C-alpha cells in the first residue's frame, strides 16, 4: 500500500447530504504512469537527509494563518495531520479519524484513533480536536481560514475518542475541507501555552517533527521516532531557500539537493538532457490568471476590465511563456475540480473592441497601470508579454516584481492595481475555489484579492455550498462563474501542470494535484 500506515478496503466516498452516505475505505490507487511516482526501489533504504530546494521561504507555519500553498507544503502531512486525508485520486481516506458517519444532514460524528500523541507529548483525543476548531472559529483569533469552516456551529465532545461537528446547514464538501491543510489538528498544549509561537514552531502529530527555521535560509524537520503509523525512511528533510533557478538545478546535479519542486518551464530541456536529473510532471488543481483590484481606479470600471480582457492574447502566453506546459484556462477553476464547466467562454482577443471600450470609459488617450507579480521566472515573462500586448491599446504597463512573501503581503492588503496570481485549490471541490476567490467575506487574506463584491454572486456561492444534489451544484457553479466572467473580474490564463526536478538517487516521492510534496515513502540511495 502506497499511503503510509493502514489497510483500508477499496471504495469511494461521496456524500449527498440527507440522501446517502457511503464511507470509502480505500488504498490509494497505483500510479498509471511512471510520472505518478518518482521511481521504484528494491526495498526501502533507511536514513539520510532529503534536501528540497525552493525559490522562496515560507511566510508562516501556523495552519490557521497560512494562506499560500508553498508555506503549507512545509507542514502538510509532515508536521500536521487532519481527521481525514485525500489519496492520490483525491478520494477521502481515514487519518486521525478511523471512521465517521453522518447522523443527520448537519451532524457529523468522527471516531478517533487511540494512543496517538502530539510532538510535545500532549494526547490526541476529542478534546484536542475541539480546541483546534474552537480556536480557528473564534473571531478573536482573526484567522483568515475561519470563513472556510463557518458552517461549523459547534464542536461537541461525545467521549474521549468521539467528536461531533454540528453544522449550521448541510455542507456537501465538509470532508474535502477537513482533508486540507486548514483542517490540521494542533497540539492543545501548544495552543494553551503559547499559540503565537505556532507561526514559527508548528506542533502536530505527523511523521516529522519541526526542528528549526533559519529565516530566509532553510526549514528543517526530523523523523518522528514516536510516530503512530509507518515511520518515514529518511531521518530529516531540509527545505532550503535558493532564489536562483540555475543554482537550484545545479544543486540537484551535484547531489547537494534531491528535489526542486519549483522548476521554471524554461529549464525542462536541461533537465531531460541530464544524466543526473529526472523530470516529474502531473496535472494540478490550480489555475493561473491576471486579476484586477476592482476597488481601485481604473479597474473599478468594468469597461476597463473588459478592454484589457480583450487585449490579452492568452494562447500566445501558453505557447510562448509556458512552452505548452499546462492548458489554456477558460475560467478560474481547473477541469480537475468538481464544479468545472466547459461552457464558460472568456473574452476573445479583439483589439478593436478593447479600444472602443477604453474610449467609452474615457481613456481614449490611454492610461497607465501597474502589474504586480511574484519573482517566479514564468510570471515575470508573462508580465512582459502582457506589457507588450497592452501597448497595442494604449495601456502603459509598469511591471512590479516582488519576492513571494512581499507579494503575498501586498495583495492581502489590496495595494495592487492588477496582479498575476494563481489559486491552488487544496480540496478538489468548487466551494474552495468559489467561496475563497469571489465571496465578499473572503476579501483580502482568505483569497479574494480582486476585492470583488456582488450580492448575487454571494447568494449563488452560498446556495452551492448548501446544495446536496450534485447536478444542481454543478449548475449553480456554471451560472456563478459566467457572472464573474461577465463582470470581468479576472482573465483566466492557464490550468496548472506541476513539474519538479529530482535526483536519480531519490525515489518514493510524489506531488499531489494541489502541489503538495508527499515524502512519507522517500528513499535516498
Amino acid at each position: 500500500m502506497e499511503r503510509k500506515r493502514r489497510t483500508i478496503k477499496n471504495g469511494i466516498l461521496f456524500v449527498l447530504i440527507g440522501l446517502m452516505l457511503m464511507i470509502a475505505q480505500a488504498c490509494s490507487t497505483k500510479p498509471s504512469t511512471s510520472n505518478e511516482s518518482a521511481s521504484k526501489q528494491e526495498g526501502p533504504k533507511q536514513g539520510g537527509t532529503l534536501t528540497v530546494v525552493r525559490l522562496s521561504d515560507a511566510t508562516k507555519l501556523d495552519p490557521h494563518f497560512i494562506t499560500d500553498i508553498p508555506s503549507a507544503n512545509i507542514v502538510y502531512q509532515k508536521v500536521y495531520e487532519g481527521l481525514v486525508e485525500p489519496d492520490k485520486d483525491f478520494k477521502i481516506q481515514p487519518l486521525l479519524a478511523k471512521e465517521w458517519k453522518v447522523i443527520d444532514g448537519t451532524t457529523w460524528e468522527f471516531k478517533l484513533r487511540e494512543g496517538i500523541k502530539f510532538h510535545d507529548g500532549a494526547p490526541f483525543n476529542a478534546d484536542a480536536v475541539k480546541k483546534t476548531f474552537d480556536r480557528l472559529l473564534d473571531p478573536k483569533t482573526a484567522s483568515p481560514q475561519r470563513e472556510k469552516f463557518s458552517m461549523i456551529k459547534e464542536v461537541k465532545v461525545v467521549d474521549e475518542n468521539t467528536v461531533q461537528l454540528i453544522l449550521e446547514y448541510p455542507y456537501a464538501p465538509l470532508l474535502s475541507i477537513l482533508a486540507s491543510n486548514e483542517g490540521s489538528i494542533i497540539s492543545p498544549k501548544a495552543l494553551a501555552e503559547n499559540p503565537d509561537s505556532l507561526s514559527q514552531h508548528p506542533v502536530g502529530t505527523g511523521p516529522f517533527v519541526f526542528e528549526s527555521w533559519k529565516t530566509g535560509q532553510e526549514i528543517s524537520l526530523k523523523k518522528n521516532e514516536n510516530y503512530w503509523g509507518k515511520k518515514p525512511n529518511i531521518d530529516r528533510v531540509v527545505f532550503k531557500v535558493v532564489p536562483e533557478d540555475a543554482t537550484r538545478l545545479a544543486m540537484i546535479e551535484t547531489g547537494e539537493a534531491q528535489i526542486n519542486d519549483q522548476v521554471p518551464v524554461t529549464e525542462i530541456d536541461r533537465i531531460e538532457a541530464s544524466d543526473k536529473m529526472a523530470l516529474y510532471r502531473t496535472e494540478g488543481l490550480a489555475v493561473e490568471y491576471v486579476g484586477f483590484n476592482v476597488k481601485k481606479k481604473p479597474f473599478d470600471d468594468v469597461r476597463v476590465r473588459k478592454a484589457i480582457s480583450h487585449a490579452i492574447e492568452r494562447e500566445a502566453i501558453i505557447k510562448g511563456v509556458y512552452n505548452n506546459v499546462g492548458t489554456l484556462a477558460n475560467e478560474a477553476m481547473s477541469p480537475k475540480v468538481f464544479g468545472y464547466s466547459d461552457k464558460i467562454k472568456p473574452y476573445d482577443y479583439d483589439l478593436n473592441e478593447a479600444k472602443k471600450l477604453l474610449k467609452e470609459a474615457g481613456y481614449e488617450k490611454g492610461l497607465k497601470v501597474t502589474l504586480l507579480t511574484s519573482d517566479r521566472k514564468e510570471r515575470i515573462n508573462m508580465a512582459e508579454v502582457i506589457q507588450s500586448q497592452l501597448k497595442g491599446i494604449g495601456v502603459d504597463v509598469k511591471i512590479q516584481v516582488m519576492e513571494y512573501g512581499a507579494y503575498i503581503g501586498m495583495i492581502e492588503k489590496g495595494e495592487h492595481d492588477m496582479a498575476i496570481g494563481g489559486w491552488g485549490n487544496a480540496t478538489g471541490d468548487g466551494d474552495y475555489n468559489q467561496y475563497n476567490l469571489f465571496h465578499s467575506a473572503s476579501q483580502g487574506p482568505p483569497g479574494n484579492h480582486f476585492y470583488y463584491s456582488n450580492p448575487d454572486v454571494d447568494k449563488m456561492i452560498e446556495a452551492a455550498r448548501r446544495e446536496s444534489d450534485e447536478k444542481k451544484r454543478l449548475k449553480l457553479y456554471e451560472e456563478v462563474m459566467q457572472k464573474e466572467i461577465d463582470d470581468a473580474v479576472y482573465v483566466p490564463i492557464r490550468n496548472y501542470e506541476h513539474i519538479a526536478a529530482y535526483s536519480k538517487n531519490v525515489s518514493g516521492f510524489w506531488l499531489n494535484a494541489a502541489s503538495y510534496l508527499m515524502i512519507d515513502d522517500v528513499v535516498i540511495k
Side-chain angles (χ1 to χ4, degrees), residues 232-523:
N233 300 315
I234 56 174
D235 295 324
R236 295 173 77 238
V237 55
V238 177
F239 296 91
K240 197 177 284 286
V241 179
V242 182
E244 301 81 15
D245 297 328
T247 306
R248 291 199 302 277
L249 289 181
M251 290 175 71
I252 301 291
E253 285 193 296
T254 60
E256 289 179 77
Q258 287 77 42
I259 299 173
N260 175 9
D261 64 343
Q262 295 170 319
V263 179
V265 296
T266 50
E267 303 292 344
I268 288 177
D269 290 345
R270 175 184 170 186
I271 297 165
E272 291 183 330
S274 171
D275 59 357
K276 302 276 182 66
M277 288 188 289
L279 183 68
Y280 180 99
R281 301 175 72 152
T282 187
E283 287 182 86
L285 300 176
V287 171
E288 203 155 25
Y289 48 77
V290 177
F292 305 109
N293 184 342
V294 303
K295 284 191 174 177
K296 288 185 74 173
K297 286 186 177 298
F299 300 117
D300 57 343
D301 189 325
V302 69
R303 293 169 296 186
V304 175
R305 304 196 300 267
K306 286 181 177 180
I308 288 180
S309 299
H310 277 301
I312 293 177
E313 191 177 3
R314 302 175 312 119
E315 291 88 346
I317 293 170
I318 296 294
K319 186 177 180 182
V321 174
Y322 285 101
N323 197 23
N324 292 318
V325 173
T327 57
L328 188 66
N330 66 314
E331 60 199 50
M333 195 182 290
S334 157
K336 290 177 71 70
V337 173
F338 176 86
Y340 170 81
S341 170
D342 60 4
K343 294 184 174 63
I344 309 300
K345 305 298 179 192
Y347 294 92
D348 56 349
Y349 181 62
D350 189 336
L351 294 182
N352 290 330
E353 181 65 17
K355 291 173 183 175
K356 178 185 163 191
L357 285 161
L358 280 183
K359 183 177 180 181
E360 288 177 12
Y363 296 102
E364 186 176 4
K365 294 182 180 179
L367 75 160
K368 294 183 178 181
V369 299
T370 300
L371 174 59
L372 174 68
T373 178
S374 65
D375 54 356
R376 266 181 47 199
K377 192 170 185 178
E378 298 98 333
R379 289 197 175 175
I380 296 170
N381 293 347
M382 190 201 302
E384 291 169 349
V385 170
I386 290 169
Q387 180 185 54
S388 175
Q389 290 177 349
L390 294 186
K391 276 182 184 175
I393 59 168
V395 175
D396 182 8
V397 177
K398 176 189 173 186
I399 297 171
Q400 185 175 13
V401 180
M402 301 192 80
E403 180 275 326
Y404 188 71
Y407 161 86
I408 289 288
M410 193 165 178
I411 60 175
E412 287 187 348
K413 293 172 186 170
E415 295 172 343
H416 60 293
D417 291 349
M418 55 190 290
I420 295 173
W423 186 250
N425 192 306
T427 66
D429 189 272
D431 182 66
Y432 193 93
N433 176 285
Q434 286 294 300
Y435 196 91
N436 297 314
L437 275 179
F438 299 104
H439 196 282
S440 299
S442 297
Q443 290 183 26
N448 183 349
H449 303 138
F450 315 116
Y451 294 86
Y452 173 63
S453 180
N454 182 323
D456 291 336
V457 165
D458 288 350
K459 286 175 187 173
M460 293 165 80
I461 291 170
E462 288 163 15
R465 65 173 9 196
R466 295 166 185 246
E467 180 56 64
S468 60
D469 185 289
E470 183 178 346
K471 289 183 179 178
K472 290 179 181 177
R473 281 191 85 209
L474 289 170
K475 186 66 176 171
L476 280 165
Y477 285 134
E478 185 174 288
E479 290 172 4
V480 75
M481 286 190 290
Q482 186 59 59
K483 198 156 188 59
E484 292 151 6
I485 288 287
D486 293 343
D487 286 345
V489 182
Y490 67 98
V491 182
I493 302 292
R494 184 178 77 111
N495 300 310
Y496 269 60
E497 182 181 359
H498 302 304
I499 60 175
Y502 64 96
S503 167
K504 290 182 177 178
N505 72 352
V506 68
S507 62
F509 78 91
W510 55 287
L511 293 179
N512 80 0
S515 191
Y516 288 126
L517 177 63
M518 312 304 281
I519 59 172
D520 293 334
D521 298 319
V522 161
V523 172

Side-chain angles (χ1 to χ4, degrees), residues 111 118 174 386 453 488:
K111 293 285 186 184
F118 289 91
L174 179 66
I386 290 169
S453 180

Side-chain angles (χ1 to χ4, degrees), residues 12-25:
I12 297 175
L13 170 90
F14 193 82
V15 179
L16 295 177
I17 304 285
L19 296 176
M20 70 174 103
L21 175 73
M22 293 192 302
I23 296 176
Q25 296 182 319

Side-chain angles (χ1 to χ4, degrees), residues 210-221:
F210 174 81
E211 195 170 41
S212 67
W213 184 359
K214 298 173 186 173
T215 305
Q217 297 179 51
E218 65 181 43
I219 296 173
S220 63
L221 314 176

Side-chain angles (χ1 to χ4, degrees), residues 127-154:
D127 186 61
V129 175
K130 178 174 172 58
K131 281 187 166 61
T132 290
F133 285 107
D134 283 354
R135 185 239 194 177
L136 174 59
L137 295 167
D138 185 349
K140 292 178 184 176
T141 304
S143 166
Q145 309 296 1
R146 181 174 180 267
E147 280 298 324
K148 294 186 176 79
F149 292 91
S150 58
M151 78 296 299
I152 298 177
K153 181 168 65 176
E154 180 191 356

